[in-house]
């Protein structure tokens, strides 16, 4: 096996896992509790919730860990570093699958006709080939170019879900159309905070890129989820760096719009 999409493993049989399993070639689909076989090769696409990652990595045979491919939303750096997996393949999946039966909506926008989905690492080309077989686009980039893209996706999901929740919107599209100014204020605030902390330079036009993506997935429900993997990164930067973001989170807590405690 040359590690191409011809022989891949998909962990997870939810919306994203089921989509990936429809790709060309032989795909081994593993569900919760199934074991990754030792001695195999090729990419292992992990399409599960973030809270399943620890057990998956711990139960993965040592010789297969390098093949693990992370397609989760959120900030994974602390977790990956703790497992010595920072060099592993990562994917920013700009694809919306609203239900098991729904057709995937690819992140091809008026601003980014080449698509927004981005992958980096050893199995990035294999992932791009898999998506290509499904009629979707994927950009393969260096790890240096991946970082600003990763933070941009994190900013998108953290901002639109938060504004949508705080303003009791039914979808990210409603958050954008009715609260444009607030959305842009938070995006710019978080870009400045990340640039300062991480020394990352974002290319111009982030608010336009993210607004165009929101237009494509306009009906996606707005809910603050997986706090420790998403909004907490920005919350932990402090009120001086992220005052609007953090204030809005506390407002959500006061109004009981979120079901978890803030640290």
């Amino acid at each position: 096996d040359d590690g191409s999409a011809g022989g891949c493993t998909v962990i997870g049989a939810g919306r994203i896992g089921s989509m990936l399993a429809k790709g060309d070639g032989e795909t081994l689909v593993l569900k919760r509790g199934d074991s990754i076989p030792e001695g195999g090769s090729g990419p292992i696409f992990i399409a599960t919730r973030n809270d399943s990652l620890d057990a998956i990595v711990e139960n993965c045979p040592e010789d297969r860990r390098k093949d693990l491919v992370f397609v989760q939303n959120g900030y994974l750096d602390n977790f990956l570093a703790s497992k010595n997996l920072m060099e592993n393949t990562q994917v920013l999946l700009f694809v919306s699958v609203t239900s098991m039966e729904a057709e995937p909506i690819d992140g091809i926008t008026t601003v980014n006709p080449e698509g927004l989905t981005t992958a980096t690492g050893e199995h990035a080309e294999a992932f791009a080939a898999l998506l290509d077989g499904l009629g979707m686009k994927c950009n393969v980039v260096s790890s240096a170019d991946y970082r600003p893209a990763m933070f941009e996706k994190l900013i998108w999901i953290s901002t639109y879900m938060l504004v949508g929740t705080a303003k009791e919107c039914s979808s990210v599209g409603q958050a954008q159309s009715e609260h444009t100014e607030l959305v842009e204020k938070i995006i710019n605030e978080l870009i400045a905070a990340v640039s300062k902390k991480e020394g990352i330079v974002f290319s111009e036009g982030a608010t336009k890129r993210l607004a165009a993506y929101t237009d494509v997935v306009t009906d996606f429900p707005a809910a603050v989820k997986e706090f420790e993997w998403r909004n907490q990164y920005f919350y932990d930067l402090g009120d001086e760096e992220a005052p609007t973001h953090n204030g809005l989170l506390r407002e959500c807590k006061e109004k009981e719009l979120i079901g978890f405690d803030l640290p």
Side-chain angles (χ1 to χ4, degrees):
D1 187 344
D2 61 359
S4 73
C8 67
T9 303
V10 175
I11 303 178
R15 293 171 302 178
I16 300 299
S18 301
M19 175 190 84
L20 296 177
K22 289 176 186 152
D24 298 337
E26 286 181 32
T27 307
L28 171 66
V29 179
L30 302 178
K31 296 185 180 173
R32 192 186 295 267
D34 290 348
S35 298
I36 297 167
E38 283 184 43
S41 64
I44 303 169
F45 302 120
I46 310 176
T48 66
R49 286 172 60 101
N50 298 45
D51 58 12
S52 302
L53 290 176
D54 191 67
I56 290 167
V57 171
E58 287 306 308
N59 293 323
C60 178
E62 199 63 45
D63 67 326
R64 301 302 317 276
R65 286 194 180 188
K66 68 183 188 316
D67 293 321
L68 294 173
V69 176
F70 296 88
V71 302
Q72 283 67 27
N73 281 311
Y75 180 75
L76 302 181
D77 283 20
N78 294 343
F79 172 77
L80 293 175
S82 75
K83 302 292 183 188
N84 204 18
L85 297 174
M86 280 296 282
E87 300 298 310
N88 276 49
T89 305
Q90 292 185 60
V91 177
L92 299 171
L93 199 56
F94 279 89
V95 174
S96 168
V97 188
T98 50
S99 68
M100 287 292 283
E101 289 73 40
E103 278 296 304
I105 301 167
D106 197 1
I108 296 167
T109 74
T110 52
V111 178
N112 294 92
E114 74 284 6
L116 284 164
T117 293
T118 303
T120 191
E122 182 185 346
H123 294 303
E125 294 286 358
F127 188 82
L130 176 65
L131 279 198
D132 186 57
L134 295 168
M136 288 184 272
K137 297 187 177 184
C138 178
N139 303 288
V140 175
V141 301
S142 68
S143 56
D145 287 342
Y146 185 83
R147 282 191 74 67
M150 180 272 281
F151 277 109
E152 216 166 281
K153 174 97 196 273
L154 184 64
I155 287 168
W156 179 82
I157 206 161
S158 299
T159 300
Y160 280 92
M161 299 300 168
L162 175 58
V163 171
T165 299
K167 300 302 179 186
E168 301 186 51
C169 300
S170 61
S171 66
V172 293
Q174 188 186 353
Q176 171 148 291
S177 61
E178 294 180 13
H179 306 283
T180 314
E181 219 169 282
L182 180 59
V183 164
E184 290 186 356
K185 184 181 182 185
I186 293 176
I187 289 172
N188 288 324
E189 174 178 289
L190 299 185
I191 282 176
V194 171
S195 301
K196 185 174 164 185
K197 177 162 197 290
E198 305 285 343
I200 284 172
V201 177
F202 291 87
S203 53
E204 283 296 306
T207 52
K208 285 193 178 69
R209 279 193 295 281
L210 299 181
Y213 177 61
T214 307
D215 288 341
V216 171
V217 297
T218 186
D219 295 329
F220 203 82
V224 178
K225 295 178 180 173
E226 299 192 305
F227 172 76
E228 60 275 24
W229 298 93
R230 300 180 186 183
N231 294 77
Q232 185 164 5
Y233 172 86
F234 304 112
Y235 191 77
D236 287 349
L237 295 179
D239 290 355
E240 207 163 291
E241 302 300 331
T244 318
H245 170 272
N246 289 6
L248 210 51
L249 265 173
R250 284 193 284 270
E251 193 182 302
C252 286
K253 185 62 192 166
E254 280 159 27
K255 292 182 180 169
E256 299 184 348
L257 296 170
I258 54 176
F260 55 85
D261 291 326
L262 295 170

